[in-house]
Amino acid sequence: QVQLVESGGGLVQAGGSLRLSCAASGRIFSNSAMGWIRQALGQEREFVAGISWSGDITRYADSVKGRATISRDSAKNTVYLQMNSLKPEDTAVYYCAADTRFRVVVSVDMEYWGKGTLVIVSS
């Protein structure tokens, strides 16, 4: 059974930082491109960041480029999203997702999803 479990969300002031973590079941992690997708209240899901299965390719949405860093630790089967200079518009539920079909993904079309972690950025 595939499991993706996010953590690290919470309430943060604008300008602050958060690091989101996603623990993945070992069966898929080593062979999967990983990504972070977010969904604000009343809006569609939005791709945030993606990383290849090997960790050598990363992609970011323009809205977070320069403020976000995605990384993965194969030893811990964990992918991270470091977010800096947070803005109120970053408020959303952040989902970790995995995909075995492509080397890296840059969309919300992902095979496996976590349940999400809520990030609230106050102004």
Side-chain angles (χ1 to χ4, degrees), residues 13-36:
Q13 288 189 333
S17 298
L18 276 179
R19 189 176 80 156
L20 306 181
S21 300
C22 172
S25 58
R27 186 174 73 82
I28 66 163
F29 187 79
S30 60
N31 298 317
S32 296
M34 302 294 295
W36 288 95

Side-chain angles (χ1 to χ4, degrees), residues 98-113:
D99 198 290
T100 61
R101 299 169 296 175
F102 307 108
R103 185 175 182 184
V104 65
V105 290
V106 293
S107 75
V108 301
D109 180 18
M110 303 288 279
E111 289 183 298
Y112 306 103
W113 293 80

Side-chain angles (χ1 to χ4, degrees), residues 4-7 9 20-23 33-50 70 79-81 90-98 105 107-108 110 112-119:
L4 300 171
V5 181
E6 303 95 336
S7 60
L20 306 181
S21 300
C22 172
M34 302 294 295
W36 288 95
I37 290 90
R38 68 187 181 186
Q39 187 169 24
L41 186 63
Q43 298 187 21
E44 296 184 351
R45 288 182 174 179
E46 174 192 20
F47 167 80
V48 177
I70 187 171
V79 64
Y80 304 98
L81 181 68
D90 293 318
T91 295
V93 176
Y94 284 71
Y95 297 93
C96 173
V105 290
S107 75
V108 301
M110 303 288 279
Y112 306 103
W113 293 80
K115 294 184 178 181
T117 185
L118 177 62
V119 173

